[in-house]
Amino acid sequence: MQRFLAMVAEPQVGGESLMGTIKIAVLPIAKVFTMCFLGFLMASKYVNILPASGRKLLNGLVFSLLLPCLIFSQLGQSITLEKMIEWWFIPVNVVLGTISGSLIGLVVAYIVRPPYPFFKFTIIQIGIGNIGNVPLVLIAALCRDKSNPFGDSETCSTDGTAYISFGQWVGAIILYTYVFNMLAPPPEGTFHIEEANLPIRDPPKDGAQIPKDDSPEQVPLLTQDDLQSNSNPQKNGKMKQLLVFLYEKLKLKQILQPPIIASILAMALGVIPFFKKLIFTSDGPLFFFTDSCIILGEAMIPCILLALGGNLVDGPGSSKLGLRTTAAIIFGRLLLVPPVGLGIVTLADKLGFLPAGDKMFRFVLLLQHSMPTSVLSGAVANLRGCGREAAAILFWVHIFAILSMAGWVTLYLNLLF
């Protein structure tokens, strides 16, 4: 017993004891849980000041304005051409995480045999993690604590946000190509969802249009009308026909969403010294624009957590997945994927692929493998006709992720420091 107490009290992370390390790791999760619970409370029938329509507007505001502002200001201030070359492994890590997670999902799906037609759905729910919003929230909560092991709070937050933002454009491409195609309805044309008012019951036929709804929840990121537009290029010559073909195959409209545009602009302007000094330095003549983005970006974290908590108010719903498949997805995403990610990052470090001595860089790479299922993959599932099952998975995965993320963050901090 005395030996255990001595181990607990022994300094480990940045001079902290094991209990201190656990405190550093758990407090950000506790902050996330508290803000989500407040959103849940505000959306409950007892308070009801954040109804479904309000959450739609809040989600749209976060996605279209607040998140792009955060990405543009933080990434633009941090990025340089040298750093962009140094950070090459971040997008590679996102791709490797998707491949390894999908392989684990494939194995789990073969073992548990989910009900038809949710085999590919199970793979996606395990393989695609949240590499944007939740890591941003965790980094912000961790860096606010002055005793955090990464040092200065401002530098910690800026670097962490820049690293996470740098990988989001790859995640968007994966989401709107791989995930979108994997979640295609079965040959029967439906996932057997009974509600007639879901965005899509059947896959779109040639010339068919889905109901138009400008709300961020019903058409959160993808707009099927955009894929149907320009569907008759034969009149307009070969050039337009080629452009339409590229547009439909590459799904450029879906890939170039506001957060991705913000990332591209931040990288394009941040690597050019003239524009960086003009826009992103505190004495630059156009810094007022960046400063405005910083102010708006600071509102992203509380808004998205309130919306996430509010979205859980309806519970898991009437999912057809069953307890066995739901438990397997939770187990695979939260407990099987992170150790493989730890192995990937450790191997990359041994091979010299990572910037020397940058612990925040390694921490962000590890977080990319340890997050719950992507909320945006749920949005795509909603569009493809399996939204209720996706909502059930998101509900349970985020509930259990509170415990799993605390454990993984504690482990990562002990390994890094």
Side-chain angles (χ1 to χ4, degrees):
M1 185 65 179
Q2 290 179 344
R3 184 177 179 183
F4 174 75
L5 292 175
M7 181 185 70
V8 170
E10 181 182 352
Q12 294 184 22
V13 177
E16 294 281 351
S17 65
L18 178 59
M19 289 304 297
T21 304
I22 295 174
K23 178 183 175 183
I24 291 172
V26 170
L27 278 180
I29 311 298
K31 296 174 185 178
V32 170
F33 178 78
T34 300
M35 286 186 276
C36 283
F37 176 75
L38 290 175
F40 178 87
L41 185 64
M42 295 299 101
S44 68
K45 62 181 181 180
Y46 303 105
V47 180
N48 199 31
I49 64 172
L50 195 61
S53 58
R55 297 197 300 273
K56 291 177 187 178
L57 293 174
L58 192 57
N59 281 325
L61 181 66
V62 168
F63 173 73
S64 300
L65 178 64
L66 303 184
L67 179 57
C69 283
L70 179 69
I71 291 173
F72 180 80
S73 59
Q74 301 287 2
L75 183 58
Q77 288 180 302
S78 301
I79 195 74
T80 63
L81 185 59
E82 294 76 13
K83 287 184 177 180
M84 186 178 289
I85 296 172
E86 275 187 0
W87 297 354
W88 68 270
F89 191 75
I90 294 178
V92 172
N93 188 59
V94 174
V95 175
L96 292 176
T98 301
I99 294 172
S100 61
S102 297
L103 291 176
I104 292 171
L106 180 64
V107 173
V108 170
Y110 269 119
I111 294 173
V112 302
R113 298 185 179 277
Y116 180 81
F118 294 105
F119 188 88
K120 291 182 179 180
F121 175 89
T122 301
I123 296 174
I124 290 299
Q125 296 302 307
I126 294 175
I128 304 298
N130 192 318
I131 62 167
N133 299 337
V134 177
L136 283 172
V137 171
L138 278 178
I139 291 294
L142 179 63
C143 293
R144 282 177 65 89
D145 192 337
K146 294 188 182 300
S147 64
N148 80 82
F150 296 100
D152 178 66
S153 294
E154 185 174 348
T155 303
C156 167
S157 179
T158 301
D159 289 348
T161 302
Y163 295 155
I164 294 167
S165 302
F166 190 64
Q168 287 203 40
W169 61 274
V170 181
I173 294 175
I174 292 172
L175 190 72
Y176 301 124
T177 53
Y178 169 64
V179 175
F180 187 80
N181 286 289
M182 283 286 283
L183 293 181
E188 292 81 0
T190 177
F191 282 92
H192 306 290
I193 299 176
E194 298 175 355
E195 279 74 12
N197 60 350
L198 282 174
I200 295 179
R201 282 182 57 89
D202 300 307
K205 303 294 190 293
D206 290 339
Q209 300 288 331
I210 65 168
K212 293 185 179 180
D213 187 344
D214 292 333
S215 66
E217 184 173 281
Q218 295 297 325
V219 187
L221 301 176
L222 301 167
T223 307
Q224 192 69 24
D225 296 293
D226 296 323
L227 296 178
Q228 301 297 333
S229 63
N230 300 325
S231 59
N232 186 23
Q234 297 177 355
K235 310 174 186 178
N236 305 301
K238 294 182 178 180
M239 180 60 70
K240 187 173 181 181
Q241 189 174 5
L242 177 62
L243 292 175
V244 170
F245 175 80
L246 292 175
Y247 178 84
E248 292 181 348
K249 290 298 180 183
L250 297 179
K251 297 180 174 64
L252 294 179
K253 179 70 174 183
Q254 286 69 42
I255 294 173
L256 294 177
Q257 296 296 327
I260 310 307
I261 295 174
S263 299
I264 294 172
L265 283 176
M267 288 187 286
L269 298 175
V271 298
I272 301 174
F274 172 75
F275 289 113
K276 191 177 187 71
K277 187 173 182 180
L278 188 70
I279 301 172
F280 295 111
T281 56
S282 57
D283 57 347
L286 297 182
F287 181 74
F288 69 89
F289 179 80
T290 302
D291 200 26
S292 300
C293 288
I294 293 173
I295 296 170
L296 288 170
E298 288 174 350
M300 191 278 291
I301 304 299
C303 286
I304 200 167
L305 288 178
L306 289 174
L308 178 60
N311 289 338
L312 300 179
V313 73
D314 296 325
S318 55
S319 170
K320 298 181 182 298
L321 293 175
L323 178 61
R324 176 187 172 97
T325 303
T326 301
I329 291 174
I330 295 170
F331 182 79
R333 180 65 234 173
L334 300 181
L335 296 179
L336 297 183
V337 173
V340 176
L342 178 59
I344 292 172
V345 176
T346 302
L347 179 61
D349 197 12
K350 296 291 184 183
L351 295 175
F353 293 161
L354 311 183
D358 192 337
K359 297 184 184 298
M360 175 57 79
F361 190 92
R362 289 158 176 77
F363 185 65
V364 168
L365 294 180
L366 292 169
L367 284 183
Q368 289 177 335
H369 296 279
S370 311
M371 295 295 101
T373 302
S374 170
V375 175
L376 300 185
S377 71
V380 176
N382 191 43
L383 181 68
R384 298 298 256 169
C386 49
R388 187 168 295 279
E389 282 69 24
I393 293 300
L394 289 174
F395 177 86
W396 290 116
V397 167
H398 281 81
I399 292 295
F400 286 99
I402 295 170
L403 300 175
S404 69
M405 286 191 297
W408 289 118
V409 169
T410 302
L411 174 63
Y412 297 155
L413 292 178
N414 273 281
L415 292 176
L416 290 172
F417 293 91

Short mmCIF file of all heavy atoms in Angstrom, two decimals, residues 339-395:
data_model
loop_
_atom_site.label_atom_id
_atom_site.label_comp_id
_atom_site.label_asym_id
_atom_site.label_seq_id
_atom_site.Cartn_x
_atom_site.Cartn_y
_atom_site.Cartn_z
N PRO A 339 -5.24 2.19 -29.46
CA PRO A 339 -3.93 1.53 -29.37
C PRO A 339 -3.23 1.40 -30.72
O PRO A 339 -2.00 1.51 -30.80
CB PRO A 339 -4.28 0.14 -28.79
CG PRO A 339 -5.57 0.32 -28.10
CD PRO A 339 -6.31 1.35 -28.89
N VAL A 340 -4.00 1.14 -31.79
CA VAL A 340 -3.40 1.08 -33.12
C VAL A 340 -2.85 2.45 -33.51
O VAL A 340 -1.75 2.56 -34.08
CB VAL A 340 -4.44 0.59 -34.16
CG1 VAL A 340 -3.86 0.61 -35.56
CG2 VAL A 340 -4.94 -0.80 -33.80
N GLY A 341 -3.60 3.52 -33.20
CA GLY A 341 -3.11 4.87 -33.46
C GLY A 341 -1.85 5.18 -32.69
O GLY A 341 -0.93 5.83 -33.21
N LEU A 342 -1.79 4.73 -31.44
CA LEU A 342 -0.58 4.92 -30.64
C LEU A 342 0.61 4.23 -31.30
O LEU A 342 1.72 4.78 -31.34
CB LEU A 342 -0.81 4.37 -29.23
CG LEU A 342 0.37 4.43 -28.26
CD1 LEU A 342 0.85 5.86 -28.06
CD2 LEU A 342 -0.01 3.80 -26.92
N GLY A 343 0.38 3.04 -31.85
CA GLY A 343 1.45 2.34 -32.56
C GLY A 343 1.90 3.09 -33.81
O GLY A 343 3.10 3.18 -34.09
N ILE A 344 0.94 3.67 -34.56
CA ILE A 344 1.28 4.43 -35.77
C ILE A 344 2.13 5.64 -35.42
O ILE A 344 3.16 5.90 -36.06
CB ILE A 344 -0.01 4.86 -36.50
CG1 ILE A 344 -0.73 3.64 -37.09
CG2 ILE A 344 0.30 5.87 -37.60
CD1 ILE A 344 -2.11 3.96 -37.67
N VAL A 345 1.71 6.40 -34.41
CA VAL A 345 2.44 7.61 -34.04
C VAL A 345 3.81 7.26 -33.46
O VAL A 345 4.82 7.94 -33.76
CB VAL A 345 1.62 8.44 -33.02
CG1 VAL A 345 2.41 9.65 -32.54
CG2 VAL A 345 0.30 8.89 -33.65
N THR A 346 3.89 6.22 -32.67
CA THR A 346 5.17 5.80 -32.10
C THR A 346 6.15 5.38 -33.19
O THR A 346 7.33 5.75 -33.17
CB THR A 346 4.97 4.63 -31.11
OG1 THR A 346 4.06 5.04 -30.07
CG2 THR A 346 6.29 4.21 -30.48
N LEU A 347 5.66 4.62 -34.17
CA LEU A 347 6.51 4.20 -35.29
C LEU A 347 6.98 5.40 -36.10
O LEU A 347 8.16 5.48 -36.49
CB LEU A 347 5.74 3.21 -36.17
CG LEU A 347 6.49 2.69 -37.41
CD1 LEU A 347 7.76 1.93 -36.99
CD2 LEU A 347 5.58 1.80 -38.26
N ALA A 348 6.06 6.34 -36.36
CA ALA A 348 6.44 7.55 -37.10
C ALA A 348 7.50 8.34 -36.35
O ALA A 348 8.43 8.90 -36.97
CB ALA A 348 5.21 8.41 -37.34
N ASP A 349 7.39 8.39 -35.03
CA ASP A 349 8.39 9.09 -34.22
C ASP A 349 9.73 8.39 -34.31
O ASP A 349 10.78 9.04 -34.44
CB ASP A 349 7.90 9.16 -32.77
CG ASP A 349 8.65 10.20 -31.95
OD1 ASP A 349 9.38 11.02 -32.55
OD2 ASP A 349 8.53 10.19 -30.71
N LYS A 350 9.72 7.07 -34.23
CA LYS A 350 10.98 6.30 -34.32
C LYS A 350 11.64 6.49 -35.67
O LYS A 350 12.88 6.49 -35.78
CB LYS A 350 10.70 4.81 -34.08
CG LYS A 350 10.16 4.47 -32.69
CD LYS A 350 11.21 4.67 -31.62
CE LYS A 350 10.66 4.21 -30.26
NZ LYS A 350 11.65 4.47 -29.17
N LEU A 351 10.85 6.63 -36.73
CA LEU A 351 11.38 6.80 -38.08
C LEU A 351 11.81 8.24 -38.38
O LEU A 351 12.30 8.52 -39.47
CB LEU A 351 10.35 6.34 -39.11
CG LEU A 351 10.00 4.84 -39.09
CD1 LEU A 351 8.88 4.54 -40.07
CD2 LEU A 351 11.23 4.00 -39.41
N GLY A 352 11.58 9.15 -37.43
CA GLY A 352 12.00 10.54 -37.61
C GLY A 352 11.07 11.37 -38.46
O GLY A 352 11.48 12.39 -39.03
N PHE A 353 9.79 10.96 -38.57
CA PHE A 353 8.84 11.70 -39.39
C PHE A 353 8.25 12.92 -38.67
O PHE A 353 7.63 13.76 -39.32
CB PHE A 353 7.69 10.78 -39.82
CG PHE A 353 8.09 9.68 -40.76
CD1 PHE A 353 7.28 8.56 -40.93
CD2 PHE A 353 9.26 9.77 -41.49
CE1 PHE A 353 7.64 7.55 -41.80
CE2 PHE A 353 9.64 8.76 -42.37
CZ PHE A 353 8.83 7.65 -42.52
N LEU A 354 8.42 13.00 -37.35
CA LEU A 354 7.78 14.05 -36.57
C LEU A 354 8.79 15.11 -36.14
O LEU A 354 9.97 14.79 -35.94
CB LEU A 354 7.11 13.45 -35.32
CG LEU A 354 6.22 12.22 -35.55
CD1 LEU A 354 5.57 11.79 -34.24
CD2 LEU A 354 5.17 12.49 -36.62
N PRO A 355 8.37 16.38 -36.02
CA PRO A 355 9.29 17.44 -35.57
C PRO A 355 9.88 17.10 -34.21
O PRO A 355 9.16 16.73 -33.28
CB PRO A 355 8.38 18.68 -35.50
CG PRO A 355 7.24 18.38 -36.40
CD PRO A 355 7.02 16.91 -36.32
N ALA A 356 11.17 17.25 -34.10
CA ALA A 356 11.86 16.88 -32.86
C ALA A 356 11.42 17.77 -31.70
O ALA A 356 11.38 18.99 -31.82
CB ALA A 356 13.38 16.98 -33.06
N GLY A 357 11.08 17.14 -30.60
CA GLY A 357 10.81 17.86 -29.36
C GLY A 357 9.45 18.54 -29.27
O GLY A 357 9.16 19.19 -28.26
N ASP A 358 8.61 18.41 -30.28
CA ASP A 358 7.30 19.07 -30.27
C ASP A 358 6.27 18.11 -29.68
O ASP A 358 5.68 17.27 -30.38
CB ASP A 358 6.90 19.49 -31.68
CG ASP A 358 5.70 20.44 -31.69
OD1 ASP A 358 4.93 20.43 -30.71
OD2 ASP A 358 5.54 21.19 -32.68
N LYS A 359 6.01 18.24 -28.38
CA LYS A 359 5.10 17.32 -27.70
C LYS A 359 3.64 17.60 -28.05
O LYS A 359 2.83 16.67 -28.11
CB LYS A 359 5.32 17.39 -26.19
CG LYS A 359 6.73 16.95 -25.77
CD LYS A 359 6.88 16.93 -24.27
CE LYS A 359 8.31 16.57 -23.86
NZ LYS A 359 8.71 15.22 -24.31
N MET A 360 3.29 18.84 -28.29
CA MET A 360 1.93 19.16 -28.69
C MET A 360 1.60 18.51 -30.03
O MET A 360 0.49 18.02 -30.25
CB MET A 360 1.71 20.67 -28.75
CG MET A 360 0.34 21.10 -29.28
SD MET A 360 -1.05 20.45 -28.35
CE MET A 360 -1.06 21.55 -26.94
N PHE A 361 2.56 18.49 -30.95
CA PHE A 361 2.38 17.87 -32.25
C PHE A 361 2.02 16.39 -32.07
O PHE A 361 1.06 15.89 -32.68
CB PHE A 361 3.66 18.01 -33.07
CG PHE A 361 3.54 17.61 -34.51
CD1 PHE A 361 3.23 18.56 -35.48
CD2 PHE A 361 3.75 16.30 -34.91
CE1 PHE A 361 3.12 18.20 -36.81
CE2 PHE A 361 3.64 15.93 -36.24
CZ PHE A 361 3.32 16.88 -37.19
N ARG A 362 2.77 15.71 -31.23
CA ARG A 362 2.52 14.29 -30.98
C ARG A 362 1.18 14.08 -30.27
O ARG A 362 0.44 13.12 -30.55
CB ARG A 362 3.65 13.70 -30.15
CG ARG A 362 4.95 13.56 -30.94
CD ARG A 362 6.18 13.49 -30.04
NE ARG A 362 7.40 13.26 -30.82
CZ ARG A 362 8.01 14.20 -31.53
NH1 ARG A 362 7.53 15.44 -31.56
NH2 ARG A 362 9.10 13.92 -32.21
N PHE A 363 0.86 14.97 -29.35
CA PHE A 363 -0.40 14.86 -28.61
C PHE A 363 -1.60 14.98 -29.55
O PHE A 363 -2.56 14.21 -29.44
CB PHE A 363 -0.44 15.94 -27.53
CG PHE A 363 -1.63 15.85 -26.62
CD1 PHE A 363 -1.80 14.78 -25.78
CD2 PHE A 363 -2.58 16.87 -26.61
CE1 PHE A 363 -2.90 14.71 -24.93
CE2 PHE A 363 -3.68 16.81 -25.77
CZ PHE A 363 -3.84 15.71 -24.93
N VAL A 364 -1.54 15.92 -30.48
CA VAL A 364 -2.63 16.10 -31.44
C VAL A 364 -2.75 14.86 -32.33
O VAL A 364 -3.87 14.39 -32.62
CB VAL A 364 -2.41 17.36 -32.29
CG1 VAL A 364 -3.36 17.40 -33.48
CG2 VAL A 364 -2.61 18.61 -31.43
N LEU A 365 -1.62 14.29 -32.78
CA LEU A 365 -1.67 13.08 -33.59
C LEU A 365 -2.34 11.94 -32.84
O LEU A 365 -3.15 11.19 -33.41
CB LEU A 365 -0.25 12.66 -33.99
CG LEU A 365 0.53 13.58 -34.94
CD1 LEU A 365 1.91 13.01 -35.22
CD2 LEU A 365 -0.23 13.80 -36.24
N LEU A 366 -2.04 11.81 -31.56
CA LEU A 366 -2.65 10.76 -30.75
C LEU A 366 -4.14 11.02 -30.55
O LEU A 366 -4.95 10.08 -30.58
CB LEU A 366 -1.93 10.67 -29.40
CG LEU A 366 -0.49 10.16 -29.46
CD1 LEU A 366 0.21 10.37 -28.12
CD2 LEU A 366 -0.45 8.67 -29.84
N LEU A 367 -4.51 12.27 -30.35
CA LEU A 367 -5.92 12.60 -30.18
C LEU A 367 -6.74 12.24 -31.41
O LEU A 367 -7.90 11.84 -31.31
CB LEU A 367 -6.09 14.10 -29.87
CG LEU A 367 -5.75 14.59 -28.47
CD1 LEU A 367 -6.07 16.08 -28.35
CD2 LEU A 367 -6.51 13.81 -27.40
N GLN A 368 -6.14 12.38 -32.59
CA GLN A 368 -6.87 12.08 -33.82
C GLN A 368 -7.33 10.62 -33.88
O GLN A 368 -8.30 10.30 -34.57
CB GLN A 368 -5.99 12.40 -35.05
CG GLN A 368 -5.79 13.89 -35.28
CD GLN A 368 -4.87 14.19 -36.44
OE1 GLN A 368 -4.02 13.38 -36.80
NE2 GLN A 368 -5.02 15.36 -37.04
N HIS A 369 -6.65 9.75 -33.15
CA HIS A 369 -7.03 8.32 -33.13
C HIS A 369 -7.94 7.97 -31.96
O HIS A 369 -8.39 6.82 -31.88
CB HIS A 369 -5.77 7.46 -33.05
CG HIS A 369 -4.87 7.56 -34.24
ND1 HIS A 369 -5.09 6.87 -35.41
CD2 HIS A 369 -3.74 8.29 -34.45
CE1 HIS A 369 -4.14 7.15 -36.28
NE2 HIS A 369 -3.31 8.01 -35.73
N SER A 370 -8.19 8.91 -31.06
CA SER A 370 -8.84 8.57 -29.79
C SER A 370 -10.20 9.21 -29.60
O SER A 370 -10.78 9.10 -28.52
CB SER A 370 -7.92 9.00 -28.63
OG SER A 370 -6.61 8.53 -28.82
N MET A 371 -10.70 9.86 -30.63
CA MET A 371 -11.94 10.60 -30.51
C MET A 371 -13.16 9.72 -30.79
O MET A 371 -13.03 8.68 -31.43
CB MET A 371 -11.93 11.78 -31.48
CG MET A 371 -10.87 12.84 -31.17
SD MET A 371 -11.17 13.68 -29.58
CE MET A 371 -10.01 12.82 -28.51
N PRO A 372 -14.33 10.13 -30.32
CA PRO A 372 -15.56 9.40 -30.67
C PRO A 372 -15.89 9.54 -32.15
O PRO A 372 -15.21 10.25 -32.89
CB PRO A 372 -16.62 10.07 -29.79
CG PRO A 372 -16.09 11.43 -29.51
CD PRO A 372 -14.60 11.27 -29.42
N THR A 373 -16.92 8.85 -32.57
CA THR A 373 -17.34 8.86 -33.98
C THR A 373 -17.63 10.29 -34.44
O THR A 373 -18.18 11.10 -33.69
CB THR A 373 -18.59 8.00 -34.15
OG1 THR A 373 -18.29 6.66 -33.72
CG2 THR A 373 -19.04 7.96 -35.60
N SER A 374 -17.26 10.58 -35.67
CA SER A 374 -17.43 11.92 -36.22
C SER A 374 -18.90 12.32 -36.29
O SER A 374 -19.75 11.58 -36.79
CB SER A 374 -16.82 11.98 -37.63
OG SER A 374 -17.17 13.17 -38.28
N VAL A 375 -19.19 13.53 -35.78
CA VAL A 375 -20.54 14.08 -35.88
C VAL A 375 -20.91 14.33 -37.34
O VAL A 375 -22.06 14.14 -37.76
CB VAL A 375 -20.65 15.38 -35.07
CG1 VAL A 375 -22.01 16.03 -35.24
CG2 VAL A 375 -20.38 15.11 -33.59
N LEU A 376 -19.93 14.71 -38.15
CA LEU A 376 -20.20 14.99 -39.56
C LEU A 376 -20.52 13.72 -40.34
O LEU A 376 -21.28 13.76 -41.31
CB LEU A 376 -19.02 15.72 -40.19
CG LEU A 376 -18.65 17.06 -39.55
CD1 LEU A 376 -17.55 17.75 -40.33
CD2 LEU A 376 -19.86 17.96 -39.43
N SER A 377 -19.95 12.58 -39.94
CA SER A 377 -20.34 11.32 -40.57
C SER A 377 -21.80 11.01 -40.27
O SER A 377 -22.51 10.39 -41.08
CB SER A 377 -19.44 10.17 -40.10
OG SER A 377 -19.70 9.82 -38.76
N GLY A 378 -22.27 11.44 -39.09
CA GLY A 378 -23.69 11.30 -38.78
C GLY A 378 -24.55 12.16 -39.68
O GLY A 378 -25.67 11.78 -40.06
N ALA A 379 -24.03 13.34 -40.05
CA ALA A 379 -24.76 14.21 -40.97
C ALA A 379 -24.89 13.56 -42.35
O ALA A 379 -25.94 13.62 -42.99
CB ALA A 379 -24.06 15.56 -41.07
N VAL A 380 -23.81 12.93 -42.80
CA VAL A 380 -23.85 12.23 -44.09
C VAL A 380 -24.82 11.05 -44.01
O VAL A 380 -25.59 10.79 -44.94
CB VAL A 380 -22.44 11.77 -44.50
CG1 VAL A 380 -22.49 10.95 -45.78
CG2 VAL A 380 -21.52 12.96 -44.68
N ALA A 381 -24.77 10.32 -42.89
CA ALA A 381 -25.69 9.19 -42.69
C ALA A 381 -27.14 9.66 -42.72
O ALA A 381 -28.02 8.98 -43.27
CB ALA A 381 -25.38 8.49 -41.37
N ASN A 382 -27.38 10.83 -42.15
CA ASN A 382 -28.73 11.38 -42.15
C ASN A 382 -29.22 11.64 -43.58
O ASN A 382 -30.36 11.35 -43.94
CB ASN A 382 -28.74 12.68 -41.34
CG ASN A 382 -30.14 13.19 -41.06
OD1 ASN A 382 -31.02 12.41 -40.72
ND2 ASN A 382 -30.34 14.48 -41.21
N LEU A 383 -28.32 12.14 -44.41
CA LEU A 383 -28.66 12.41 -45.80
C LEU A 383 -28.88 11.12 -46.58
O LEU A 383 -29.76 11.04 -47.44
CB LEU A 383 -27.56 13.23 -46.46
CG LEU A 383 -27.80 13.62 -47.91
CD1 LEU A 383 -28.94 14.62 -48.02
CD2 LEU A 383 -26.53 14.19 -48.52
N ARG A 384 -28.13 10.07 -46.26
CA ARG A 384 -28.20 8.82 -47.01
C ARG A 384 -29.33 7.91 -46.55
O ARG A 384 -29.57 6.88 -47.17
CB ARG A 384 -26.86 8.08 -46.91
CG ARG A 384 -25.69 8.84 -47.49
CD ARG A 384 -25.86 9.09 -48.98
NE ARG A 384 -25.05 8.20 -49.77
CZ ARG A 384 -25.17 8.05 -51.08
NH1 ARG A 384 -26.10 8.73 -51.72
NH2 ARG A 384 -24.39 7.23 -51.74
N GLY A 385 -30.00 8.25 -45.46
CA GLY A 385 -31.17 7.49 -45.07
C GLY A 385 -31.05 6.66 -43.82
O GLY A 385 -31.97 5.92 -43.46
N CYS A 386 -29.89 6.71 -43.14
CA CYS A 386 -29.71 5.94 -41.90
C CYS A 386 -29.41 6.88 -40.74
O CYS A 386 -28.57 6.60 -39.88
CB CYS A 386 -28.61 4.90 -42.05
SG CYS A 386 -27.06 5.52 -42.76
N GLY A 387 -30.09 8.02 -40.73
CA GLY A 387 -29.82 9.04 -39.73
C GLY A 387 -30.18 8.64 -38.32
O GLY A 387 -29.49 9.01 -37.37
N ARG A 388 -31.26 7.86 -38.15
CA ARG A 388 -31.66 7.49 -36.79
C ARG A 388 -30.65 6.56 -36.15
O ARG A 388 -30.31 6.69 -34.97
CB ARG A 388 -33.05 6.84 -36.81
CG ARG A 388 -33.59 6.58 -35.41
CD ARG A 388 -35.05 6.21 -35.46
NE ARG A 388 -35.88 7.30 -35.93
CZ ARG A 388 -36.27 8.30 -35.15
NH1 ARG A 388 -35.89 8.37 -33.90
NH2 ARG A 388 -37.03 9.26 -35.64
N GLU A 389 -30.13 5.61 -36.93
CA GLU A 389 -29.10 4.71 -36.40
C GLU A 389 -27.83 5.48 -36.07
O GLU A 389 -27.18 5.23 -35.04
CB GLU A 389 -28.81 3.59 -37.40
CG GLU A 389 -29.83 2.48 -37.45
CD GLU A 389 -31.17 2.92 -38.03
OE1 GLU A 389 -31.19 3.91 -38.80
OE2 GLU A 389 -32.18 2.28 -37.72
N ALA A 390 -27.46 6.43 -36.94
CA ALA A 390 -26.28 7.25 -36.67
C ALA A 390 -26.46 8.09 -35.41
O ALA A 390 -25.53 8.24 -34.61
CB ALA A 390 -25.98 8.16 -37.87
N ALA A 391 -27.66 8.63 -35.20
CA ALA A 391 -27.92 9.43 -34.01
C ALA A 391 -27.80 8.58 -32.75
O ALA A 391 -27.29 9.03 -31.72
CB ALA A 391 -29.32 10.05 -34.10
N ALA A 392 -28.27 7.32 -32.82
CA ALA A 392 -28.16 6.43 -31.67
C ALA A 392 -26.70 6.15 -31.34
O ALA A 392 -26.29 6.17 -30.17
CB ALA A 392 -28.90 5.12 -31.97
N ILE A 393 -25.89 5.90 -32.38
CA ILE A 393 -24.47 5.63 -32.15
C ILE A 393 -23.78 6.86 -31.58
O ILE A 393 -22.99 6.76 -30.61
CB ILE A 393 -23.79 5.19 -33.47
CG1 ILE A 393 -24.32 3.83 -33.91
CG2 ILE A 393 -22.28 5.14 -33.30
CD1 ILE A 393 -24.09 2.72 -32.92
N LEU A 394 -24.06 8.03 -32.15
CA LEU A 394 -23.44 9.26 -31.65
C LEU A 394 -23.80 9.50 -30.18
O LEU A 394 -22.95 9.93 -29.38
CB LEU A 394 -23.86 10.45 -32.50
CG LEU A 394 -23.28 10.53 -33.91
CD1 LEU A 394 -23.91 11.68 -34.69
CD2 LEU A 394 -21.77 10.69 -33.86
N PHE A 395 -25.04 9.21 -29.83
CA PHE A 395 -25.48 9.39 -28.44
C PHE A 395 -24.65 8.53 -27.49
O PHE A 395 -24.04 9.03 -26.54
CB PHE A 395 -26.97 9.04 -28.34
CG PHE A 395 -27.50 9.13 -26.93
CD1 PHE A 395 -27.95 10.33 -26.43
CD2 PHE A 395 -27.55 8.01 -26.12
CE1 PHE A 395 -28.45 10.42 -25.13
CE2 PHE A 395 -28.05 8.08 -24.83
CZ PHE A 395 -28.50 9.29 -24.33
#
